[in-house]
Amino acid sequence: MIPLTGIISLVVFTLFSGVLCFENNVPVYMWNIDTDAVVNPLHSLNAEELVGKVSLSLEQKLVALFMQDELSVDDFKSNDLAALKSLAEMENDGTFYAPSVTKTIKLPEVLEAAGYSVVYIKSHQDLPTSPVVGKTVLVIDLPATQLGDLRKENLQLNSNAITEMYEILKSQQSDVVGIFTAKKNSQLQLDESRRRIARSAAAKSAPREETFVDKFYNITQDSGKLFLFFEKAPILKIKDENKTEWANFTLNVDPELTGTVVNETSKTGVLVLTYKALVPAGPKNDTGFLTKATISFRLSTKRGYWYINQTSIDFDVKINDATFVENDLVLVTTDVSTPLGRSWHCTPKSRLASYGYYFNGTIVKYTNKVILETDGFQLQPFKVSKEKFGDGYDCVGFFTEGIWAAIILGLIIAMMLAWAISMLADVRTPDRYDDPKGKTITITATD
């Protein structure tokens, strides 16, 4: 009878072996290759076994080995490698796919041991300009992919690069076999990244500085009162016009409200928000620093409505080692107009203000240089009572585009149905029949 410790050791060894096997398993895809070789999808091959299966089909052919940093079976299931799949389908010879291969990084060494001359290609300029004679392998390292949203885009770019370089080689000689694989499994990298994030989150018991909780500001003065609410942190986007790059600053800190004035008597006011010492967030740009940004909203009233009359911004920002300073830069503001005693509310992400040029109150030129976005924003400057916002005047009207389209389409269908019913109601059955012994029936236009 096997002791309990032996069973536990066997289970641990099996799991550990499976993890190691998974770590080294990478798919290999070949095209323009005429082979009868088959692989068991439940069995992993190493580099030597893979070359042994297809070696006869590679004889006297130029081999282009495209090596990526990370790859998994899931990448082939997506549409990110559509260009590569289309290229393979256009070739006369068949394809070969091995979903689980270990030690793929040693493929150049194995092919060299099999008698191939290995040449490493770093760019398009290194590709041969004439037909290659003899058994040769071109090892082409592709740009690195990354986790997250950028990985999808990078896979597509690599797929397009493979197609371009393969077509260049194919234009010089027809017997070119393409091989696409990677050094390690991307799914393993994703799992490791998740574990690292989980460990980092567990190690930090204190809340992160960029964590944003909805913020409510009650600005009470002798002359009036103003309520302001942010459900999510606003985002200030400033463009580096020299390199046409954006720096996105998440305004996730409490602003200074110095300079804010609300006059209930004259129904005028200014809301001033000053943010200091912020760095960009997100993958767009992470090399900037916002020293200071002051956003001013001028509030006015007209015919029983309050509205934002003008929005301006002062900022001092550094992006890509270049400093940009603006003072009293007037922005184009979204139409914020609400009856007095009610608040203006906008839940979906929207552009509250952006940079534009004015001429006699009309925009004559518009360019994206500064953008202020909000996601969950509410404001009420006048007739504030009972320590809460008045009824919301939402930025999204009740009759949306979809509702109007349904109403108009319904009216058209109803008119067509009414016309069809009227036509059917006007159909008359004959009330007289022709008698061969009597006079012939004549029908006039009035009948």
Side-chain angles (χ1 to χ4, degrees):
M1 187 174 180
I2 302 176
L4 181 60
T5 55
I7 296 177
I8 295 175
S9 301
L10 180 62
V11 172
V12 171
F13 176 77
T14 304
L15 292 176
F16 184 72
S17 300
V19 170
L20 289 179
C21 181
F22 173 74
E23 288 182 356
N24 295 326
N25 287 2
V26 179
V28 176
Y29 185 63
M30 304 182 185
W31 65 95
N32 197 28
I33 180 172
D34 185 12
T35 179
D36 296 328
V38 294
V39 295
N40 184 353
L42 301 178
H43 176 67
S44 297
L45 300 175
N46 56 36
E48 292 81 1
E49 293 172 338
L50 176 66
V51 173
K53 281 182 174 291
V54 298
S55 58
L56 294 178
S57 303
L58 299 179
E59 289 291 338
Q60 305 303 322
K61 287 189 176 183
L62 175 63
V63 179
L65 175 59
F66 297 92
M67 185 70 71
Q68 195 169 262
D69 58 342
E70 299 171 357
L71 190 66
S72 69
V73 176
D74 292 337
D75 294 330
F76 285 94
K77 297 179 182 179
S78 65
N79 294 325
D80 301 333
L81 300 175
L84 175 60
K85 295 176 184 178
S86 300
L87 173 66
E89 292 173 357
M90 294 174 58
E91 296 301 321
N92 296 328
D93 291 336
T95 59
F96 176 81
Y97 177 67
S100 180
V101 181
T102 61
K103 301 179 182 179
T104 51
I105 196 172
K106 293 185 177 181
L107 276 175
E109 300 177 12
V110 175
L111 289 170
E112 187 176 15
Y116 284 84
S117 174
V118 178
V119 179
Y120 289 89
I121 305 295
K122 295 183 178 180
S123 64
H124 289 73
Q125 289 76 13
D126 298 333
L127 292 174
T129 56
S130 59
V132 178
V133 180
K135 301 169 63 175
T136 304
V137 177
L138 304 180
V139 181
I140 305 170
D141 284 328
L142 299 173
T145 58
Q146 299 179 17
L147 294 176
D149 296 336
L150 291 179
R151 175 170 173 76
K152 179 181 179 68
E153 181 180 351
N154 289 338
L155 280 175
Q156 295 173 354
L157 293 175
N158 284 352
S159 180
N160 295 334
I162 292 173
T163 303
E164 293 177 4
M165 287 189 282
Y166 183 82
E167 289 178 348
I168 293 174
L169 296 174
K170 195 67 184 293
S171 64
Q172 299 171 1
Q173 58 191 95
S174 59
D175 54 345
V176 181
V177 176
I179 303 177
F180 177 50
T181 186
K183 300 174 183 177
K184 59 182 179 178
N185 193 299
S186 59
Q187 192 64 37
L188 176 69
Q189 180 72 7
L190 178 61
D191 293 341
E192 175 60 28
S193 177
R194 290 172 177 170
R195 290 193 294 269
R196 185 168 59 251
I197 293 174
R199 290 195 300 268
S200 177
K204 297 180 179 179
S205 57
R208 295 170 60 88
E209 290 184 0
E210 60 268 21
T211 300
F212 186 87
V213 181
D214 51 6
K215 297 183 181 295
F216 174 76
Y217 301 96
N218 182 349
I219 305 173
T220 302
Q221 301 176 343
D222 295 337
S223 56
K225 182 184 294 187
L226 180 147
F227 282 174
L228 174 65
F229 174 76
F230 289 115
E231 182 179 350
K232 296 182 180 179
I235 298 177
L236 178 62
K237 301 180 178 180
I238 301 178
K239 186 178 183 180
D240 179 357
E241 295 185 298
N242 298 331
K243 297 185 178 181
T244 65
E245 294 181 358
W246 288 89
N248 300 341
F249 297 94
T250 301
L251 309 181
N252 52 5
V253 296
D254 288 327
E256 296 180 7
L257 301 173
T258 304
T260 298
V261 178
V262 182
N263 193 320
E264 193 72 38
T265 304
S266 62
K267 295 294 187 296
T268 58
V270 179
L271 172 60
V272 180
L273 306 176
T274 301
Y275 296 91
K276 297 181 180 179
L278 293 175
V279 295
K284 290 278 186 179
N285 187 300
D286 57 358
T287 59
F289 181 77
L290 179 66
T291 304
K292 182 180 179 180
T294 301
I295 308 170
S296 302
F297 301 92
R298 299 190 180 276
L299 308 169
S300 301
T301 59
K302 184 177 182 181
R303 297 176 184 176
Y305 282 74
W306 71 264
Y307 63 97
I308 296 180
N309 185 25
Q310 178 180 288
T311 303
S312 60
I313 186 172
D314 304 340
F315 63 81
D316 183 352
V317 63
K318 183 178 181 181
I319 309 173
N320 292 325
D321 299 327
T323 301
F324 300 90
V325 179
E326 291 286 353
N327 295 307
D328 200 22
L329 183 68
V330 178
L331 306 180
V332 179
T333 310
T334 300
D335 184 16
V336 177
S337 180
T338 308
L340 287 170
R342 301 185 64 176
S343 63
W344 189 83
H345 174 261
C346 196
T347 297
K349 180 181 290 186
S350 60
R351 180 179 298 184
L352 183 61
S354 55
Y355 176 65
Y357 293 102
Y358 281 86
F359 177 73
N360 293 334
T362 304
I363 303 174
V364 295
K365 185 178 180 182
Y366 182 81
T367 179
N368 285 336
K369 177 180 177 181
V370 179
I371 298 175
L372 176 63
E373 288 184 351
T374 59
D375 191 354
F377 172 73
Q378 193 166 4
L379 174 66
Q380 183 178 354
F382 306 115
K383 290 190 176 181
V384 179
S385 61
K386 299 180 181 179
E387 300 300 323
K388 66 177 183 179
F389 282 105
D391 294 336
Y393 203 79
D394 206 84
C395 61
V396 179
F398 176 77
F399 288 97
T400 62
E401 296 179 358
I403 294 177
W404 278 117
I407 291 175
I408 295 174
L409 183 60
L411 290 174
I412 293 174
I413 294 175
M415 293 171 60
M416 295 174 61
L417 181 61
W419 176 80
I421 293 175
S422 66
M423 292 295 103
L424 290 175
D426 198 46
V427 174
R428 299 180 182 180
T429 58
D431 54 0
R432 292 184 295 171
Y433 297 92
D434 194 10
D435 186 0
K437 297 180 180 181
K439 293 179 62 177
T440 304
I441 298 175
T442 58
I443 301 175
T444 62
T446 57
D447 294 333

